[in-house]
């Protein structure tokens, strides 16, 4: 039944859905300078507002996404889309920074539908194709991240930045209509666990599975260093070249490399140990920051670094998703919730700390911060996690 429920057109629809909704949480990055100028605020304050979006997303992952294990996932996705539309419209009409900050928090909380879609796709996919299917859906997620920065940056160079959120609300409304007709019905019709009991199992899963803890740490590190770069890029471009949101958005298009690589990474994760692929992601992300540090003052160096960084992020994302979705399909939403909570907590702190380090120490401070975080990731992945697995095996 699963393979029939998840044909190629359905996988494509899930990927497009993930792209449109996840875009909401990234629109702010290329337009931070425009928002700071309109509200007459320093960069660090706008960095804190951007962090609110990531924090909202992280807590939505922790408190809302697990509901996919106890209720109809199709219904949950449709309700989340309605709330995402309302949040985007609030950002569009925000008259001051306080309302916009509230809207940013709500945008984060209500944009978690892709993280219900991802484990749903993994649940419907045949086991021997799970990595490939997840790679394709995650490609959509990356396209959303990629195009959100580009669309936001380019639109804000021609129109008031608020229009970005009106267009986002219209896109999600159109998506809702398509999914109402095309999204597969959840084959699981009965759930015996209530919300409170289900939430109480999350800490138990974290304690029971070292691989889940390791994936959450990997996600924290890799998305954290990604956001350190993207949250500060527009300020760096202003300082180095006198450029603005449009150029920051156009540079985001270089992430197409990660989009094209995602299905291949998924197949590699099906064939080889996901830990090996994750290690490669850490190596690529570190290499990217070496390039930024040594050659980031040159446009060619910046371009090469962006391509390598997006590849590193995608290697980690696909491989981590593949291994956690293979633990137990009956808890797939909770596993995804824990992993993505760590992922976006890293993103939130990366956005905030990146802006702070930019104000304190410029580009060298930004690159130095990322390298320190990556060293923590290397220790956790190659030293700490093997020790934990060995101790568990001995007991």
């Amino acid at each position: 039944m699963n393979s029939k429920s998840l044909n190629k057109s359905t996988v494509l629809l899930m990927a497009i859905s993930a792209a449109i909704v996840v875009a909401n949480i990234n629109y702010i990055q290329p337009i931070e300078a425009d928002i700071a100028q309109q509200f007459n605020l320093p960069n660090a304050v706008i960095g804190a507002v951007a962090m609110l979006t990531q924090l909202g997303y992280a807590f939505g992952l922790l408190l809302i996404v697990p509901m996919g294990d106890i209720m109809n996932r199709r219904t949950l996705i449709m309700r989340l889309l309605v709330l995402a539309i309302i949040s985007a419209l609030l950002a569009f009409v925000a008259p001051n920074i306080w309302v916009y900050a509230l809207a940013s928090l709500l945008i984060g909380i209500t944009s978690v539908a892709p993280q219900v879609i991802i484990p749903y796709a993994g649940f419907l996919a045949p086991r021997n194709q799970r990595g490939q299917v997840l790679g394709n859906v995650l490609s959509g997620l990356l396209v959303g991240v990629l195009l959100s920065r580009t669309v936001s940056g380019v639109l804000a160079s021609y129109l008031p930045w608020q229009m970005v959120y009106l267009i986002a609300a219209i896109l999600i409304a159109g998506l809702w209509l398509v999914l109402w007709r095309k999204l597969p019905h959840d084959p699981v019709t009965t759930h015996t666990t209530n919300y409170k009991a289900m939430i109480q199992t999350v800490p138990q899963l974290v304690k029971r599975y070292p691989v889940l803890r390791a994936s959450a740490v990997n996600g924290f590190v890799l998305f954290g260093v990604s956001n350190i770069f993207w949250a500060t890029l527009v300020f760096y471009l202003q300082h180095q070249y006198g450029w603005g949101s449009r150029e920051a958005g156009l540079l985001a298009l270089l992430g197409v490399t990660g989009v094209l690589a995602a299905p291949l990474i998924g197949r590699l994760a099906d064939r080889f140990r996901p830990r090996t692929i994750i290690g490669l992601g850490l190596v690529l992300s570190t290499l990217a920051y070496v390039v930024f540090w040594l050659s980031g003052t040159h446009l060619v160096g910046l371009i090469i670094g962006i391509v390598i960084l997006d590849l590193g992020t995608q290697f980690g994302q696909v491989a981590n998703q593949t291994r956690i979705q293979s633990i137990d399909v009956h808890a797939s939403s909770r596993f995804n919730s824990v992993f993505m909570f760590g992922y976006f907590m890293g993103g939130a702190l990366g956005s905030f700390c990146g802006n702070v380090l930019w104000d304190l120490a410029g580009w060298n401070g930004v690159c130095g911060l990322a390298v320190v975080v990556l060293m923590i990731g290397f220790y956790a992945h190659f030293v700490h996690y093997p020790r934990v697995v060995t101790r568990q095996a001995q007991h």
Side-chain angles (χ1 to χ4, degrees):
M1 179 176 68
N2 288 359
S3 59
K4 292 181 180 178
S5 299
L6 204 64
N7 53 40
K8 290 183 179 179
S9 62
T10 303
V11 174
L12 177 61
L13 176 60
M14 288 179 156
I16 292 171
S17 302
I20 291 174
V21 181
V22 79
N24 273 13
I25 64 173
N26 294 288
Y27 286 135
I28 189 174
Q29 289 179 346
I31 61 175
E32 286 183 32
D34 297 317
I35 299 169
Q37 183 177 12
Q38 175 163 337
F39 293 126
N40 194 26
L41 294 168
N43 297 335
V45 174
I46 298 301
V49 174
M51 181 179 71
L52 284 178
T53 305
Q54 304 286 341
L55 285 175
Y57 198 81
F59 282 100
L61 289 164
L62 195 64
L63 300 175
I64 296 175
V65 171
M67 294 172 68
D69 286 335
I70 62 167
M71 69 175 289
N72 186 290
R73 281 164 282 203
R74 184 180 186 277
T75 301
L76 179 58
I77 291 166
M78 302 306 293
R79 291 176 180 176
L80 285 170
L81 293 185
V82 173
L83 295 175
I85 294 168
I86 295 170
S87 301
L89 289 175
L90 181 61
F92 169 64
V93 301
N96 54 54
I97 189 61
W98 300 107
V99 176
Y100 180 72
L102 174 61
S104 296
L105 178 65
L106 294 176
I107 283 171
I109 294 171
T110 61
S111 296
V112 295
Q115 304 308 329
V116 181
I117 293 171
I118 290 168
Y120 192 24
F123 173 78
L124 294 173
R127 185 177 181 85
N128 64 346
Q129 297 176 20
R130 189 166 291 143
Q132 184 176 352
V133 167
L134 289 171
N136 287 328
V137 177
L138 287 165
S139 289
L141 196 76
L142 187 58
V143 167
V145 173
L146 169 69
L147 292 184
S148 65
R149 294 173 181 143
T150 304
V151 169
S152 176
V154 172
L155 281 176
S157 67
Y158 295 104
L159 299 170
W161 60 264
Q162 292 93 337
M163 292 298 296
V164 172
Y165 293 101
L166 177 60
I167 292 170
I170 293 170
L171 284 173
I172 298 173
L175 175 65
W176 189 95
L177 293 174
V178 175
L179 290 180
W180 181 256
R181 297 187 54 167
K182 300 292 185 180
L183 189 65
H185 288 277
D186 193 341
V188 179
T189 57
T190 58
H191 299 275
T192 58
T193 306
N194 61 38
Y195 179 78
K196 182 179 178 180
M198 179 271 302
I199 286 292
Q200 289 174 342
T201 66
V202 173
Q204 298 169 13
L205 294 174
V206 173
K207 182 178 179 180
R208 180 178 178 184
Y209 295 107
V211 66
L212 181 58
R213 300 195 298 273
S215 294
V217 172
N218 294 148
F220 180 96
V221 168
L222 288 172
F223 195 53
V225 298
S226 176
N227 269 19
I228 287 171
F229 173 78
W230 287 109
T232 56
L233 176 62
V234 67
F235 305 122
Y236 178 71
L237 293 177
Q238 282 184 333
H239 170 77
Q240 188 69 24
Y241 302 107
W243 291 352
S245 58
R246 179 178 60 183
E247 289 78 13
L250 290 173
L251 281 174
L253 284 173
L254 294 168
V256 70
T257 308
V259 177
L260 296 174
L264 172 61
I265 297 169
R267 287 194 290 272
L268 290 174
D270 284 333
R271 291 186 58 188
F272 302 101
R273 291 195 313 163
R275 279 199 72 240
T276 302
I277 310 299
I278 295 164
L280 183 55
L282 287 166
V283 170
L284 288 171
S285 295
T286 305
L287 178 60
Y289 271 96
V290 171
V291 173
F292 289 147
W293 211 336
L294 297 179
S295 305
T297 53
H298 304 288
L299 184 58
V300 172
L302 200 62
I303 289 171
I304 292 171
I306 289 172
V307 171
I308 298 172
L309 180 64
D310 281 338
L311 278 174
T313 304
Q314 191 71 346
F315 266 77
Q317 167 84 322
V318 174
N320 274 306
Q321 284 283 5
T322 299
R323 69 176 181 173
I324 66 170
Q325 294 302 327
S326 299
I327 300 172
D328 181 359
V329 295
H330 299 294
S332 60
S333 290
R334 280 166 285 173
F335 291 137
N336 191 55
S337 176
V338 171
F339 168 63
M340 295 306 295
F341 177 77
Y343 194 82
F344 277 91
M345 284 299 293
L349 291 174
S351 295
F352 177 70
C353 294
N355 278 282
V356 171
L357 263 293
W358 169 259
D359 283 343
L360 293 176
W363 192 240
N364 286 336
V366 169
C367 293
L369 171 64
V371 170
V372 169
V373 174
L374 283 162
M375 291 306 100
I376 295 171
F378 273 102
Y379 174 81
H381 186 68
F382 290 104
V383 179
H384 181 71
Y385 174 70
R387 287 178 179 172
V388 171
V389 172
T390 300
R391 285 199 301 267
Q392 190 177 56
Q394 289 173 346
H395 287 85

